[in-house]
C-alpha cells in the first residue's frame, strides 16, 4: 500500500508533520485555492486506495474515518500489532526447556511471554499453560511429567511451582545424603 501511494505521489498526505491547511477565506489567493484543491483530491484518492486494499471486515471498520492520515495510521498500527502477536505466539510455542537451567526460571520466561501476549488481549488459559509447560519439560523429567499428568489434583500454575520446588529440594537432599554415604 505504501509503495502504491508513493508511486502515485500521494503518500505525503499521510505524513504526520504535514501542515494542516486552514479553512478557506475570501482573502485566499489563487495559489492557496489551487493547493487546497490538489490536497483535497490527493487526500480523497489516498483514502480511497487505503480502503480499497482492505478486506470487507476491515473496510467496515475504517470507512467511517474521513481522514486518510487516521486510516493509514490505524492500519499501520494494526499491522504492527498483528505482527508482534505472531512473533510472541511463535516464541511461546517454540520455547524449549533445557535440563541445565532451573525449571522455575524457564517457567518464569514462559510467563513473561504470556504476559506480553495478554497486553495484546491474547488470553492463554491456565490449563493450556500447564499443558504447554509439561510438554516442554526435558525428556529427563518424563517421570515427573507422568506423575503430574496422572495426579487427580486440579493443577494450577502455583501448584506446579510448588511441586517443582519440592522436587528440586528432594534432589538436593538425595544428592547430599549420597555424598555422606559415600564418605562413610
Amino acid at each position: 500500500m505504501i509503495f502504491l501511494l508513493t508511486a502515485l505521489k500521494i503518500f505525503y498526505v499521510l505524513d504526520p508533520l504535514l501542515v494542516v491547511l486552514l479553512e478557506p477565506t475570501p482573502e485566499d489567493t489563487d495559489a492557496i485555492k489551487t493547493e487546497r484543491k490538489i490536497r483535497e483530491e490527493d487526500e480523497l484518492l489516498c483514502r480511497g486506495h487505503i480502503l480499497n486494499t482492505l478486506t470487507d471486515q476491515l473496510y467496515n471498520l475504517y470507512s467511517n474515518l474521513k481522514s486518510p492520515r487516521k486510516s493509514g495510521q490505524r492500519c499501520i498500527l494494526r499491522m504492527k500489532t498483528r505482527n508482534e502477536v505472531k512473533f510472541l505466539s511463535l516464541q511461546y510455542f517454540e520455547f524449549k526447556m533445557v535440563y541445565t537451567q532451573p525449571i522455575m526460571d524457564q517457567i518464569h520466561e514462559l510467563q513473561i511471554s504470556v504476559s506480553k501476549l495478554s497486553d495484546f488481549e491474547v488470553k492463554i488459559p491456565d490449563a493450556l499453560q500447564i499443558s504447554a509447560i509439561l510438554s516442554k519439560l526435558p525428556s529427563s523429567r518424563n517421570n515427573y511429567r507422568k506423575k503430574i499428568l496422572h495426579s487427580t489434583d486440579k493443577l494450577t500454575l502455583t501448584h506446579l511451582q510448588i511441586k517443582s520446588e519440592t522436587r528440586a529440594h528432594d534432589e538436593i537432599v538425595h544428592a547430599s545424603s549420597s555424598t555422606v554415604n559415600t564418605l562413610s
Side-chain angles (χ1 to χ4, degrees):
M1 179 174 60
I2 292 172
F3 177 75
L4 173 66
L5 297 177
T6 303
L8 294 172
K9 296 182 173 49
I10 56 175
F11 184 70
Y12 77 95
V13 300
L14 299 178
D15 184 356
L17 302 176
L18 183 66
V19 177
V20 177
L21 292 176
L22 301 175
E23 291 296 316
T25 63
E27 296 85 38
D28 286 349
T29 63
D30 287 339
I32 292 175
K33 289 178 184 176
T34 304
E35 183 182 347
R36 182 175 289 110
K37 184 176 180 187
I38 290 171
R39 173 85 66 85
E40 287 171 355
E41 288 172 359
D42 287 350
E43 285 180 355
L44 181 65
L45 190 59
C46 183
R47 180 177 177 271
H49 280 291
I50 290 171
L51 292 174
N52 189 44
T53 61
L54 302 176
T55 64
D56 290 345
Q57 186 180 25
L58 291 176
Y59 178 87
N60 293 335
L61 186 64
Y62 293 108
S63 63
N64 63 341
L65 298 174
K66 300 301 177 201
S67 166
R69 188 176 307 153
K70 286 181 182 174
S71 298
Q73 288 170 341
R74 285 197 184 167
C75 284
I76 290 169
L77 178 64
R78 185 179 179 99
M79 286 188 313
K80 284 181 181 177
T81 300
R82 184 184 271 163
N83 288 340
E84 209 163 332
V85 167
K86 284 179 186 176
F87 173 77
L88 289 170
S89 298
L90 190 63
Q91 194 176 31
Y92 178 80
F93 287 115
E94 289 185 345
F95 185 86
K96 291 184 182 6
M97 288 192 176
V98 292
Y99 186 71
T100 56
Q101 288 181 329
I103 287 179
M104 289 317 300
D105 291 350
Q106 296 176 74
I107 289 174
H108 180 70
E109 218 173 304
L110 271 174
Q111 289 303 108
I112 290 171
S113 295
V114 169
S115 175
K116 287 179 182 178
L117 283 166
S118 72
D119 290 344
F120 292 104
E121 297 180 6
V122 176
K123 305 293 183 216
I124 301 176
D126 282 355
L128 182 61
Q129 290 180 51
I130 291 168
S131 297
I133 290 167
L134 291 174
S135 71
K136 293 171 185 303
L137 287 172
S139 59
S140 62
R141 306 279 180 150
N142 279 344
N143 289 339
Y144 177 66
R145 181 183 310 144
K146 287 177 187 175
K147 182 179 175 183
I148 289 178
L149 285 173
H150 294 297
S151 170
T152 57
D153 299 335
K154 183 179 182 221
L155 291 176
T156 64
L157 290 170
T158 307
H159 189 240
L160 190 62
Q161 179 179 359
I162 292 167
K163 283 189 178 247
S164 176
E165 288 172 354
T166 303
R167 181 170 191 258
H169 176 63
D170 290 347
E171 286 177 354
I172 292 169
V173 169
H174 179 69
S176 63
S177 68
S178 296
T179 307
V180 170
N181 290 339
T182 308
L183 295 175
S184 304

